[in-house]
Amino acid sequence: MMQQLTLDDAADQPLYWQLYWQLRQRILAGDLPPGAKLPPSRRLAEECGVARATVIHAFAQLQAEGYVESRTGAGTFVVDSLPLRRGRATAVPCRPDLSHWGQRVQATAVPVATPVSGRGQLEGEPETAAAAPEIDFGFGRSFSHIFPYDVWRQLLARYLSTDDIILARYGSVAGFTPLRQALAAHLAAERGVRCTPGQVVIVSGAPQTLDILCRLFLKRGDSVLVETPGYADAYNLFRANGAHLTAIPVDAAGLPAAQIPPGVSARFLFVTPSNQFPRGGTMPVARRLALLAWAREQNALIIEDDYDGELRYDGHPLTALQGLDEDGRVIYLGAFSKVLFPALRLGYVVLPPHLVEPFVQAKRLVDRGAPTLTQAAVADFIQEGHFARHLRHLRQVYGERRALLVDALRRHLGEKGQFSTEPAGLHVMVYLKLSCREAEVVQRAAAAGVRVYPGAPYHFQQPAPPSILLGFSGAPEDLIEEGVRRLTAVLANMDAC
Ligand SMILES: Cc1ncc(COP(=O)(O)O)c(C=O)c1O
């Protein structure tokens, strides 16, 4: 048996570890059965051509993990009581039954790549290099080369010193206090949000906030009102948490309270008033007040998703619905994904004062708080004026790209589609006036070297009216016009389908 041990001097792993590992394998396979005596260390060292200390070290590791025991004066033995499988039965893969929640999550059917090598496939990235389109109207991406990485590096470095206490301790579950203070001041000044720093909680993103809110306040079968088209991830989260969804079609001014069917009561109303996602369009104050009145009557909470509200290209960003709330029923969601970068995985929620405590308690259970290092850097980024400067820069660069895209669409699209001209956000959604399936448009555009994105997943109503999304934040300026030209040529050839 021991002749089969093969130790390799040149391998990365130390010799003692190789010996330990091979003995362990033999014990687990039953080749060295419970109670078997291992060869004396001196003999095994000679047989393997290694120092005796190497064997002693390997035996010590086996003993520490409970595979062997040493009996004084008698030698080293495989532990008698190892409950090993009998024979060489093949492994029976463990397939646990999904919980009801797990089944509902599976039913959302969003493909999730879980690569274990390389840097991992990025969201929205084609599976193979060959599939990469020449012109990609990817949306929801940040335009990385205008982010001030030099400043960011300096801010991170400040907190990466060995004597910095904030890295040696768990942070506050509700978030890093200077960041909560900086956000409260920024949101009050820029977005008309009325809150104290104590109402701002730092989260890992909008999905975490929604999940916690569902777990805290939704009972099985409760209704949630959503917009259609709308935020598909929110639909799925509400569904996974057992909600019944009622979707209200939006128009150019967002969700019309008047269209909420009488008798529909809901625990949550999820809206994107600053810039309706994904259609585009802003909600005027009359509709906002009507929604607040509806929510008051129903005793519902309004979740205001303002993930891209800072990105307005014509005048000052709009003020938030939250600022009109007198009753503490609006929960305001903000994100850094679009204005800093998505991989940061930081966002924030402004809660009515009485909801802070339960929310933070729930967050303590599920993740113990967002990473302090990046929160501290973002706090300084805001307080030292970099954020305001970066936002001005983003608005200029994205505003120019949006203008190019909208202008090209106006000139080339003609009667074939309709889109919101709201000067905001990171994409334009085009409703196609064609009888073709949008999947066909997406496919044919890809064949022409242009990647556009289907609108159906964002619609509650099925079949969804054909639509496509074109992001402008990541598309190089000089290719926008060409991309639209190729897309509209594709559409022109599809009249007959
Ligand atoms: C409608 C909507 N809300 C919120 C978010 C923010 O999500 P996160 O905080 O996970 O970046 C996004 C991101 O794309 C979004 O599309």
Side-chain angles (χ1 to χ4, degrees), residues 255-258 260 269 283-297 302 321 324:
L255 190 151
I260 302 176
L269 164 60
M283 187 184 287
V285 68
R287 278 202 180 174
R288 294 177 185 225
L289 293 171
L291 282 185
L292 284 166
W294 177 87
R296 198 172 304 126
E297 260 169 42
I302 296 182
L321 170 62
L324 299 171

Side-chain angles (χ1 to χ4, degrees), residues 339-396:
V339 289
L340 295 181
F341 49 92
L344 187 61
R345 298 315 301 135
L346 277 188
Y348 48 93
V349 54
V350 178
L351 293 150
H354 56 291
L355 300 190
V356 173
E357 228 273 315
F359 189 93
V360 174
Q361 283 299 343
K363 186 165 159 60
R364 179 188 305 280
L365 276 182
V366 297
D367 87 344
R368 199 59 183 80
T372 312
L373 178 61
T374 40
Q375 289 189 74
V378 175
D380 289 355
F381 194 80
I382 298 175
Q383 273 162 345
E384 294 173 20
H386 305 294
F387 188 49
R389 201 170 313 118
H390 179 55
L391 277 179
R392 282 197 296 277
H393 195 183
L394 279 184
R395 286 181 192 132
Q396 189 206 327

Side-chain angles (χ1 to χ4, degrees), residues 146-311:
I146 58 173
F147 183 74
Y149 284 104
D150 48 344
V151 173
W152 182 246
R153 261 191 297 276
Q154 282 165 21
L155 298 181
L156 281 177
R158 266 184 206 170
Y159 294 95
L160 279 173
S161 58
T162 47
D163 59 354
D164 203 317
I165 194 99
I166 70 163
L167 296 187
R169 305 249 172 103
Y170 283 103
S172 152
V173 174
F176 188 59
T177 303
L179 179 57
R180 299 169 77 195
Q181 289 165 337
L183 277 170
H186 169 77
L187 293 172
E190 296 295 317
R191 314 303 315 283
V193 171
R194 292 189 297 182
C195 68
T196 62
Q199 289 171 254
V200 180
V201 177
I202 310 301
V203 292
S204 71
Q208 183 181 50
T209 303
L210 295 178
D211 185 43
I212 292 178
L213 290 175
C214 287
R215 296 206 227 178
L216 284 175
F217 300 113
L218 271 193
K219 298 195 190 71
R220 192 115 207 240
D222 272 354
S223 287
V224 172
L225 272 190
V226 293
E227 305 167 318
T228 179
Y231 184 23
D233 287 349
Y235 295 167
N236 289 332
L237 258 166
F238 292 136
R239 283 195 184 112
N241 282 290
H244 169 77
L245 299 194
T246 303
I248 310 294
V250 298
D251 59 25
L255 190 151
Q259 297 302 318
I260 302 176
V264 166
S265 71
R267 186 140 322 239
F268 296 144
L269 164 60
F270 182 86
V271 271
T272 49
S274 293
N275 183 30
Q276 205 281 326
F277 178 86
R279 186 187 194 278
T282 57
M283 187 184 287
V285 68
R287 278 202 180 174
R288 294 177 185 225
L289 293 171
L291 282 185
L292 284 166
W294 177 87
R296 198 172 304 126
E297 260 169 42
Q298 303 292 330
N299 197 23
L301 287 165
I302 296 182
I303 304 175
E304 175 180 18
D305 179 10
D306 198 24
Y307 83 106
D308 70 351
E310 310 268 13
L311 295 172

